[in-house]
Amino acid sequence: HPTPTGCSFLHPTPGEFGMLYPSGDVHFISLTDGAETFRGKFAVAEKPWASASAWSRDSNVYLLLGGASQNRETARQIHFNQPVRFEVKGALHCFDRKTGKHRWQRDLTKPEGRWYLWNTSRASSPFLFFVRDVRKEVEQNGRKSQRVVGYHLLILSALTGKVLLDRELANNERPL
């Protein structure tokens, strides 16, 4: 495939290289033999993405548009079973690994704030855990600042994208 302007490079698994095209086409190839290992497509929104990352787990391929870019460090954390706190702010897409069929999509830009994906490395988990800080402006000694007053926990089904839990927690109930 030619490499068009605006193409994003992905590292979905330790043994694969991926490309995301501006058209919404996603292709992965094996780093061992160069064979195509995944092909998917999604409808592209009007606003282009500034960053992209991908990972594969069980029978799913996840593609995140927006948020933190996938770099060597985050790829290593995701693929080599290390704890992950990966910033998410954008659209999360899920594809069937075998067929390339687009299974679901979730907008993670609302509510405002930084969401963090916690468990991409736990391959056996049927859930995706997202956490964000809930902040409140406080004034102390004439200075205003933001203080964490709790957490917002969002748990999705990894297979369907269905919301299983969407709840705010008190500051002493840190979820993970």
Side-chain angles (χ1 to χ4, degrees):
H1 299 290
T3 307
T5 303
C7 186
S8 297
F9 298 103
L10 306 168
H11 187 58
T13 68
E16 292 177 306
F17 173 78
M19 291 180 63
L20 169 61
Y21 294 84
S23 62
D25 289 303
V26 186
H27 301 269
F28 299 165
I29 61 167
S30 167
L31 294 175
T32 306
D33 61 10
E36 185 172 82
T37 57
F38 174 77
R39 178 184 292 247
K41 184 168 180 68
F42 64 95
V44 177
E46 291 178 25
K47 184 179 176 185
W49 54 87
S51 61
S53 56
W55 68 96
S56 185
R57 194 173 89 180
D58 298 327
S59 63
N60 294 333
V61 168
Y62 298 97
L63 176 66
L64 173 65
L65 304 177
S69 292
Q70 190 170 17
N71 57 35
R72 175 176 277 168
E73 181 61 24
T74 56
R76 188 173 62 78
Q77 288 174 334
I78 289 170
H79 303 315
F80 297 106
N81 223 14
Q82 296 182 351
V84 174
R85 188 171 189 247
F86 192 69
E87 184 179 345
V88 175
K89 187 168 183 130
L92 178 64
H93 295 265
C94 177
F95 299 88
D96 181 279
R97 176 81 189 185
K98 282 185 182 175
T99 66
K101 180 182 175 206
H102 189 256
R103 285 187 170 164
W104 55 265
Q105 154 181 355
R106 169 97 25 214
D107 179 7
L108 293 168
T109 58
K110 303 267 190 247
E112 291 302 316
R114 288 186 179 149
W115 286 100
Y116 291 93
L117 174 63
W118 277 90
N119 73 325
T120 56
S121 62
R122 297 182 188 150
S124 61
S125 176
F127 310 113
L128 295 171
F129 294 88
F130 298 90
V131 177
R132 74 175 177 86
D133 295 343
V134 175
R135 297 178 178 271
K136 180 180 178 182
E137 189 173 282
V138 295
E139 188 172 335
Q140 187 174 8
N141 299 330
R143 295 184 65 166
K144 292 183 180 180
S145 64
Q146 295 279 323
R147 185 173 68 174
V148 175
V149 295
Y151 303 94
H152 190 147
L153 177 63
L154 177 67
I155 301 176
L156 303 179
S157 162
L159 185 60
T160 66
K162 180 181 175 188
V163 174
L164 302 174
L165 182 70
D166 186 357
R167 183 173 150 199
E168 287 202 10
L169 305 171
N171 201 15
N172 63 349
E173 296 180 297
R174 185 170 180 98
L176 303 168

